[in-house]
Amino acid sequence: MGYGATRTLERVAAAMGALEAAPLVFEAARDIPEGGVLLALPALLAVGLLRHSGEYVLPPGFYGQSSVMILLALMDLARLDSIEQLRYQAAGEWGNLLGLDRVPEVRTLRNKIKLLCQEQGRAARWNATLAQEWIGQQQAGHGSGLAFYIDGHVRVYHGDLTKLPRHYVPRERFYLRATVDYWVNALDGQPFCYFNQAVDHGLVQAMRGDVLPWLEANVSLSAEQQQRMAADPRVPRFTVIFDREGYSPDLFRELQAKRIAALTYHRYPDGEAWPEEEFQEQSVKLVNGETVRMQLAERGTHVGKRPGVWVREVRKLGTGGHQVSIVSTNFSGDAAAQAVALMARWSQENYFKYMREHFGLDALVQYGTEEIPATVTVLNPVWRDLNRQVRQKQAECKSLRKLQQSVHLAQPLSEAAMRQYEQHQGQLQARIELLEPALKQLQLERKQTLRQIPVRDLPEPDRFTQLRRERKHFLDTLKMIAYRAETSMAATVREKLKRSDDARALLRQIYATEIDVMPDLQAKTLTVRLHHLTQAAHDVAVRHLCEELTATETTFPGTDLRLVYKLGSG
């Protein structure tokens, strides 16, 4: 039964199928290591940890579904990046946090997760249901509606089970085998959902194929937003914000027809700089509440092939006279609101970085691969080779023509210099004329070759499968819940901190701090007493956090015990 197992009869009953799930029984315990994660339980439940999780059902056993879900979320906050790391934790001490004698062994927990993730697509449905609630909690902007950041995150694969396509990884500055997840985040960086692309065709195709249809189906409009849209045809349903990779006038036109606004950097701004007299200094409030001043100017312009798309172009004047061009199809609101919404895209990048470092976002959680749907197309290897040869020939021709133009005759002219010049130019021209027929033949072959082909038509050496996704999506949804819970707690402790940037570091310290657990069955309370931290200033913030958490009157799931949080040591 393992170390720490004291509820022997219940475990035997569970093994015989006579117990649906072990009842939660809390006992007084002191100095529970890393017990501070229990302070996050009210936030986890408020975000939606056990809400809508009824679709996940476990067969009868000692560990019930709610205990497993709570354990996995607490492990995320305790910075246990993988299930395997639970092997090195005190099982009995963690059991005290859940009302059990001990937490499951790694093998048992893996089996529970396997049972929860048997049905393909269940995790995506759960994530979508939660995301609908999270989106509903977002307050619409002044006249501009909801806004979403959309960006791709490259998840590198170092295994050898399949030869995934290579992607450029900016943080590594290298091309590596990887898969791409396209994330949808709020303006403050908090996640809503993501879409995995086994074969990535770029941000524009990902938005057309998965992201935008999902947003159209799941973003509900408030009555106030509907009134604004009815009163002003320029008010969009919502705005999508992305980087230069998604710049596409055709996409802008498609979105306009659906009353969806786009906001991105101008990929091909006019080379002529705007006069500095057009720029006016404006106060801009960032997402984190900080106020900065920007030099901004605005014009209307057409982008794309004629007739093009009429957009707002906002430029920010930076140091040294550099101008950053922003285009938007959202014609409501001022230029400052457009600029700050795009400039604050760092919040999504910070989310990726923080999740990689603290929540194991890129971790491989399941071994094995699965077939890619037959409708998915990939770049034809034959076309790719022909294209590479064409580019090589074009580069050679360009280099030779550049050499022709760079040769100059020295003054005064002489007959020998003229002969040498003509001979050199003739040799270069002969090489160009020799290359041009081969280049035209390669271009013709490339034109006659399909650029995209179905995965099933790939030659055997180039054929690949995709990584299994269900278990990854399930655990990633739990990580989103944990991140959102931590974010809400950080907002509370910031109220008592002089340095707001210290909030998450303080929470990590709280999660690693010992606690005492004191149940009172008569009063129906479960008191969680956190030990003092290293500084008095931190204790002030933690005491405020405990008061706010206690005020939520959260009941521990599966019991009638109300959680009471205190600071101090017995």
Side-chain angles (χ1 to χ4, degrees), residues 152 167 180 182 197 199-209 211 245-246:
H167 295 273
V180 180
Y182 284 95
Q197 304 290 317
V199 179
D200 179 36
H201 294 294
L203 178 57
V204 173
Q205 292 301 321
M207 286 196 289
R208 283 174 171 156
V211 179
E245 183 186 355

Side-chain angles (χ1 to χ4, degrees), residues 24 43-44 59 64-65 123 165 225 278 280 348 370 442 444 536 546:
L24 304 185
L44 290 170
Q65 176 254 14
Q225 180 68 5
E278 289 190 31
Q280 296 181 353
Q348 190 178 32
E370 57 191 22
L442 287 172
L444 179 62
C546 290

Side-chain angles (χ1 to χ4, degrees), residues 258-481:
K258 301 175 182 179
R259 294 194 72 170
I260 301 174
L263 176 61
T264 185
Y265 293 105
H266 200 324
R267 196 166 187 173
Y268 309 106
D270 294 336
E272 184 178 351
W274 293 1
E276 294 190 8
E277 294 76 17
E278 289 190 31
F279 292 86
Q280 296 181 353
E281 189 175 62
Q282 300 187 35
S283 296
V284 180
K285 189 175 183 180
L286 302 179
V287 179
N288 60 2
E290 179 185 358
T291 301
V292 297
R293 303 192 69 81
M294 293 183 180
Q295 296 281 345
L296 300 174
E298 180 180 358
R299 293 180 183 178
T301 185
H302 279 95
V303 295
K305 297 180 180 179
R306 293 186 180 278
V309 181
W310 183 256
V311 299
R312 300 175 67 178
E313 182 176 4
V314 178
R315 290 198 181 186
K316 173 182 174 292
L317 182 62
T319 57
H322 177 67
Q323 299 181 6
V324 179
S325 178
I326 299 168
V327 292
S328 172
T329 57
N330 186 349
F331 292 93
S332 59
D334 56 9
Q338 305 285 327
V340 72
L342 186 58
M343 298 295 178
R345 274 192 64 254
W346 49 263
S347 63
Q348 190 178 32
E349 298 296 338
N350 285 349
Y351 167 76
F352 294 149
K353 183 175 184 293
Y354 191 81
M355 292 296 286
R356 285 199 321 270
E357 294 177 353
H358 294 279
F359 287 87
L361 182 63
D362 292 348
L364 184 67
V365 301
Q366 182 181 14
Y367 294 106
T369 61
E370 57 191 22
E371 292 298 322
I372 297 176
T375 56
V376 174
T377 61
V378 295
L379 187 66
N380 187 348
V382 178
W383 187 94
R384 181 182 60 211
D385 292 339
L386 288 171
N387 185 61
R388 175 178 53 80
Q389 296 178 50
V390 167
R391 293 169 68 91
Q392 286 178 347
K393 296 294 184 185
Q394 288 175 334
E396 290 180 33
C397 288
K398 183 178 180 180
S399 177
L400 292 174
R401 290 194 177 95
K402 189 175 181 180
L403 286 174
Q404 279 186 321
Q405 298 170 2
S406 62
V407 177
H408 300 284
L409 290 172
Q411 298 292 337
L413 296 178
S414 64
E415 186 175 345
M418 286 294 299
R419 283 198 302 269
Q420 184 178 5
Y421 172 78
E422 291 174 354
Q423 182 180 7
H424 180 68
Q425 292 291 85
Q427 291 174 349
L428 292 176
Q429 185 62 32
R431 292 173 62 184
I432 292 173
E433 292 176 356
L434 189 63
L435 283 172
E436 285 180 341
L439 174 60
K440 290 180 180 179
Q441 179 62 30
L442 287 172
Q443 289 174 329
L444 179 62
E445 293 179 15
R446 184 182 65 175
K447 185 177 181 180
Q448 296 173 345
T449 304
L450 290 175
R451 180 171 182 173
Q452 299 284 334
I453 60 174
V455 174
R456 63 174 180 270
D457 294 340
L458 282 172
E460 188 62 33
D462 297 317
R463 200 167 298 171
F464 62 92
T465 53
Q466 64 181 349
L467 301 178
R468 291 181 179 176
R469 299 186 289 180
E470 183 64 24
R471 196 176 303 181
K472 174 68 174 171
H473 203 147
F474 171 71
L475 294 177
D476 281 349
T477 302
L478 288 171
K479 290 174 182 178
M480 291 185 220
I481 293 172

